[in-house]
Amino acid sequence: MEQFFATISSYIWSPAMIALCLLAGLYFSFRTRFVQVRRFKTMAKLLFSSDKEKKTGITSFQAFSMALSGRVGTGNIVGVATAIGYGGPGSIVWMWIIAFLGSGTAFAESTLAQIYKEEHNGQFRGGPSYYIEKGLKCKWLAVLFAVCSVICMGLFMPPLQCNGIAISCSNTFGIKPYVAGIIVAALIGLVIIGGVKRIANVAQIVAPFMAFLYIILSIIVLICNASIVPEVFMDMIRSAFGFNEALGGILGSTIAWGVKRGIYSNEAGQGTGAIVAGAAKVSHPVKQGLVQGFSVYVDTLLVCTATAVMILACKTYNVYDASGNILIASQNMQMGVPDVSYTSAALGTILGVRWGNAVIAFALFFFAFTTIMAYYYYAETNLVYLFSRKSNKKSVEKILIGILRLCMVASVFLGSLYEAKTMWDLGDIGVGTMAWINIIAILLLSSKPIKALRDYENQEKEGKEPKFNPKEIGIENADFWENR
């Protein structure tokens, strides 16, 4: 079964997928005139703005925090270690590249989510399923994405996050994996039973705080290894383009692992960030598009880089080729599958092994926990799209959501019982499938976010507070904004 999942994952994450992600990022970067650079200051400013006229929905900062919750998880600690272990130090450079380009992609998909969002039972709902149906007028593809999202986010992805927690707690505190699974599942149940508002309230406190604390801790480690940091960055750049003699033969893997783990971590193009973006209350779709573009930077350029430079500076990693042969061996690490031990060992060089493991276990718990919360919201939104959006029957919706919550809690617990390799393969299958559908969709709809961006910037030039009127710029089926 493990080989089966690995084979499916390899087909989904073929070179064509890598090329599609990179080309989509390039396309939106050029079409928006690199909005992720020239509007960087606006991105940060809009974090704390919201449409005060609307009581429905969540604030821009809550949407940012929920998106950050989904992005900052095991991918930032375990995923980075995996990328280095199979792609070498250069894979991190490709994570940077896909983050920079992906910020443009995230802007486009999140703007689309706002354009085509709907108000349903006192909440805003949006995301790929909504803009595929209303923008592309392709209902079957919208349903396919929604089904994939419910399965992937409700069943495939949560076990992976819990698996990281269980392994870390077992290695650090001697807690049986299934005990950790029970604890995480119970806590998740308590949060998600409160719905999107409770998830947003928890996320806006925990996610930014943990990301900030983790980065500060990483800086301390780097200060202690300051003399080697320039060499680390040079090695990353050389390896990224095949100039490292020991790793020149795995350049393809370097690129593939960097892009794959980059997308898994920052979610740009995957469509999940757009689901959260659709829940925010803003006066113009572009505002939330810019906020979500900023969250990609926080995830990859700050948190992922912090993890990577710690591991590389402390030399707590090995590098393997596709056949499992070791290419670089560190005297600080034992042979084995790349995992959280790379990161905890790096911290252990400064804090001691015991404290290093404890800190990583603590960070991983909160990162993964908030990510599972975000996954639940992604699944719930698509479940509503599939079954209860049209009927508007609250009783039906409550039953379906109740079933989803039970399945989610069960899948979280099951994640503590399986090997990490299987969990990563399932996660890659889920992320890859959604990314294929979403990236093709947003490319076909690319004129819409571009029109919205021009409208937003034209209103700014006229000294106005941008307000969105889709009919004025030729966008159809944006029902929420037309009715407003």
Side-chain angles (χ1 to χ4, degrees):
M1 186 60 73
E2 287 184 11
Q3 185 57 46
F4 172 76
F5 289 138
T7 301
I8 296 297
S9 177
S10 68
Y11 282 131
I12 292 174
W13 285 97
S14 64
M17 176 58 169
I18 307 301
L20 180 66
C21 293
L22 292 171
L23 289 173
L26 277 171
Y27 175 78
F28 284 112
S29 295
F30 279 103
R31 284 295 305 275
T32 61
R33 294 178 294 124
F34 289 89
V35 69
Q36 65 265 53
V37 177
R38 61 187 182 83
R39 301 310 302 258
F40 183 83
K41 183 178 178 180
T42 308
M43 287 178 173
K45 180 182 177 182
L46 288 173
L47 276 177
F48 304 100
S49 70
S50 191
D51 187 352
K52 296 179 176 59
E53 296 177 8
K54 292 294 293 182
K55 293 183 179 180
T56 304
I58 59 178
T59 67
S60 288
F61 185 72
Q62 286 178 321
F64 164 79
S65 298
M66 286 176 67
L68 194 62
S69 296
R71 290 182 168 115
V72 178
T74 57
N76 299 82
I77 297 178
V78 185
V80 169
T82 307
I84 293 173
Y86 293 120
S91 61
I92 307 305
V93 174
W94 286 99
M95 288 182 76
W96 295 341
I97 293 171
I98 200 64
F100 174 73
L101 297 177
S103 183
T105 306
F107 164 80
E109 65 182 358
S110 297
T111 301
L112 282 168
Q114 273 288 324
I115 290 173
Y116 294 107
K117 71 181 180 182
E118 295 180 359
E119 187 173 345
H120 176 73
N121 289 341
Q123 295 181 26
F124 291 143
R125 301 283 187 180
S129 296
Y130 293 82
Y131 56 68
I132 290 172
E133 178 187 339
K134 299 169 79 172
L136 280 183
K137 300 178 182 178
C138 188
K139 181 67 178 288
W140 70 267
L141 189 61
V143 169
L144 179 61
F145 181 91
V147 170
C148 287
S149 181
V150 172
I151 294 173
C152 296
M153 295 299 154
L155 299 176
F156 286 0
M157 306 292 274
L160 175 57
Q161 301 293 329
C162 186
N163 183 266
I165 295 173
I167 291 174
S168 182
C169 288
S170 177
N171 293 340
T172 305
F173 305 114
I175 298 173
K176 295 290 185 182
Y178 73 87
V179 174
I182 292 172
I183 294 171
V184 175
L187 291 173
I188 282 294
L190 289 174
V191 173
I192 64 177
I193 199 170
V196 63
K197 286 289 187 180
R198 185 178 296 177
I199 293 171
N201 288 334
V202 173
Q204 72 176 344
I205 296 171
V206 177
F209 174 75
M210 283 306 303
F212 176 76
L213 193 64
Y214 185 73
I215 291 168
I216 292 298
L217 189 60
S218 303
I219 291 172
I220 293 172
V221 174
L222 297 183
I223 290 173
C224 295
N225 292 276
S227 62
I228 200 175
V229 169
E231 180 185 334
V232 165
F233 278 95
M234 287 303 299
D235 190 36
M236 290 163 69
I237 294 170
R238 286 194 298 266
S239 300
F241 302 102
F243 298 124
N244 184 311
E245 292 183 7
L247 302 175
I250 62 164
L251 180 58
S253 294
T254 299
I255 298 172
W257 278 98
V259 173
K260 180 161 62 173
R261 286 292 167 258
I263 292 175
Y264 180 87
S265 179
N266 64 50
E267 299 186 359
Q270 183 181 320
T272 48
I275 295 171
V276 175
K281 48 182 180 180
V282 290
S283 62
H284 197 290
V286 166
K287 290 185 175 182
Q288 199 58 35
L290 291 170
V291 168
Q292 296 305 324
F294 184 76
S295 67
V296 173
Y297 286 151
V298 175
D299 170 82
T300 305
L301 299 186
L302 291 180
V303 184
C304 285
T305 300
T307 299
V309 180
M310 274 198 301
I311 292 172
L312 296 173
C314 298
K315 298 188 182 300
T316 55
Y317 68 97
N318 299 322
V319 180
Y320 303 87
D321 64 15
S323 301
N325 301 313
I326 192 159
L327 302 177
I328 294 179
S330 169
Q331 61 182 8
N332 299 322
M333 294 301 300
Q334 296 180 346
M335 301 286 286
V337 177
D339 59 16
V340 68
S341 62
Y342 283 21
T343 314
S344 58
L347 277 173
T349 61
I350 305 299
L351 304 176
V353 174
R354 186 173 180 180
W355 278 103
N357 289 338
V359 168
I360 289 300
F362 179 79
L364 191 58
F365 174 84
F366 282 101
F367 283 168
F369 186 82
T370 53
T371 298
I372 296 171
M373 293 191 313
Y375 287 167
Y376 168 75
Y377 179 72
Y378 303 155
E380 181 188 288
T381 295
N382 283 280
L383 187 72
V384 168
Y385 169 83
L386 286 171
F387 295 108
S388 57
R389 181 169 62 109
K390 299 297 185 184
S391 67
N392 210 35
K393 293 181 179 179
K394 290 188 177 181
S395 59
V396 174
E397 184 174 325
K398 285 182 178 180
I399 292 171
L400 291 170
I401 288 175
I403 294 171
L404 174 64
R405 287 170 179 169
L406 288 174
C407 291
M408 187 89 168
V409 170
S411 72
V412 168
F413 169 70
L414 290 174
S416 65
L417 306 180
Y418 291 93
E419 293 294 327
K421 180 65 168 62
T422 303
M423 296 297 100
W424 277 109
D425 286 335
L426 284 172
D428 286 339
I429 290 170
V431 171
T433 303
M434 293 169 65
W436 266 110
I437 297 171
N438 184 60
I439 292 175
I440 291 172
I442 62 176
L443 285 172
L444 293 173
L445 288 167
S446 61
S447 64
K448 315 297 185 185
I450 303 304
K451 285 181 179 179
L453 178 61
R454 288 173 183 164
D455 174 61
Y456 178 85
E457 294 185 330
N458 286 339
Q459 290 189 55
E460 276 190 326
K461 289 177 183 177
E462 294 171 3
K464 300 177 182 178
E465 173 62 29
K467 303 285 185 180
F468 187 59
N469 186 334
K471 290 184 178 180
E472 288 184 354
I473 57 175
I475 294 180
E476 300 177 348
N477 296 328
D479 302 329
F480 167 80
W481 298 98
E482 290 175 6
N483 296 335
R484 185 181 184 189

